[in-house]
Amino acid sequence: MLILLVEDDIAQLEPLRSALSKAGHTVDAVEDGETAQWLLSQKDYDLLILDWMLPKVSGVQLCQEYRGLGKTAPVLMLTAKDTTLDKVTGLDAGADDYLVKPVDIVELLARVRALARRSPLWQGDTLSLGDLHLNLNNLTIERNQVLVQLSGREFQLMEYLMRHPHQVLSHNQIEQALWEWGTEPESNAVTTLVRRLRQRLQAVGAKDWLENVYGMGYRLGIPEKSEE
């Protein structure tokens, strides 16, 4: 998933960012609410993790503004505020879950998995499209009992494509979804990654599902006979 992580304590920000990245997610990590506001105007995230107390714009205000725009991605609020009233305030602002500091990273990753499973596409830790299945736990794709291991980046691209089936996704959209804000992938990075993913899909007999749409980008099309 593409995650926006906003935490003003750098000593906590980096371990959280690292753990989420190792779990297969693309993470835009920033330290203040104003930068987060700008990023939210530029990118569509799958999950927001917001500290309550932030410089310039609080996590609660960010959450309220985000919901006010009709955005529906899950929001996990982090805070040292642990009274019932605090939790109610956070949840009423539009947060879906609430984690009290100090954050246990194992618990955070479990909460993230739980929020991801709210998508109707996910069944447990498996994202399915037709008879093609992507497993979050071991970063594999499976079809017709053939299992293929993916690298972390291949998994991220496969998940992004499966979350947007039949949509043409441009190079720029893929770069924004897979590379963290402020990083500059090589000019042929997306092309190379798509080529590698096609090789994985070939192993499960689905190479042709990933289409090149000339001059526009890529599309994951599922043949009608494969749909459940």
Side-chain angles (χ1 to χ4, degrees):
M1 291 193 296
L2 178 59
I3 297 176
L4 176 62
L5 170 65
V6 193
E7 166 62 71
D8 64 326
D9 184 349
I10 189 66
Q12 297 188 51
L13 180 70
E14 181 51 32
L16 294 176
R17 187 204 63 76
S18 177
L20 290 164
S21 296
K22 288 178 180 176
H25 304 294
T26 303
V27 185
D28 285 344
V30 297
E31 301 172 37
D32 68 85
E34 196 170 77
T35 305
Q37 271 182 327
W38 181 82
L39 281 172
L40 288 169
S41 72
Q42 302 295 311
K43 303 176 71 171
D44 289 323
Y45 290 92
D46 300 311
L47 172 68
L48 281 59
I49 302 176
L50 308 175
D51 185 24
W52 181 307
M53 301 297 290
L54 292 169
K56 302 177 183 177
V57 181
S58 74
V60 169
Q61 184 179 342
L62 275 173
C63 188
Q64 289 172 327
E65 291 177 356
Y66 184 73
R67 295 298 186 220
L69 294 171
K71 302 284 189 177
T72 58
V75 175
L76 172 60
M77 192 75 70
L78 308 180
T79 183
K81 293 174 175 286
D82 60 358
T83 68
T84 298
L85 179 59
D86 292 330
K87 295 176 183 177
V88 169
T89 300
L91 294 171
D92 283 349
D96 298 88
D97 200 359
Y98 196 99
L99 193 56
V100 176
K101 292 181 176 181
V103 174
D104 183 304
I105 288 181
V106 174
E107 182 179 1
L108 172 75
L109 294 176
R111 300 285 185 105
V112 167
R113 290 195 297 273
L115 291 169
R117 287 196 292 267
R118 293 187 181 184
S119 166
L121 293 173
W122 283 96
Q123 295 177 336
D125 291 325
T126 302
L127 177 61
S128 298
L129 203 58
D131 57 5
L132 184 67
H133 309 289
L134 182 71
N135 192 291
L136 180 63
N137 277 335
N138 54 15
L139 308 189
T140 58
I141 51 172
E142 181 271 330
R143 181 172 180 248
N144 296 333
Q145 299 184 326
V146 177
L147 196 70
V148 175
Q149 184 70 50
L150 303 180
S151 70
R153 192 67 86 189
E154 291 162 359
F155 177 87
Q156 290 173 340
L157 176 57
M158 195 69 228
E159 181 190 16
Y160 184 55
L161 291 166
M162 291 179 71
R163 282 176 173 272
H164 303 84
H166 308 294
Q167 296 180 31
V168 179
L169 301 169
S170 68
H171 277 239
N172 185 54
Q173 285 176 300
I174 293 173
E175 285 182 359
Q176 285 200 350
L178 270 64
W179 274 267
E180 296 173 2
W181 173 63
T183 62
E184 288 290 337
E186 295 181 3
S187 60
N188 63 344
V190 171
T191 304
T192 301
L193 182 58
V194 168
R195 186 185 309 122
R196 282 168 33 202
L197 184 57
R198 276 209 179 99
Q199 292 171 352
R200 309 292 184 248
L201 289 170
Q202 185 174 24
V204 296
K207 176 185 175 183
D208 295 337
W209 294 12
L210 182 47
E211 305 170 74
N212 240 345
V213 182
Y214 182 74
M216 298 179 67
Y218 302 97
R219 175 173 54 205
L220 184 66
I222 305 298
E224 186 176 346
K225 64 181 181 181
S226 175
E227 292 180 352
E228 294 176 341

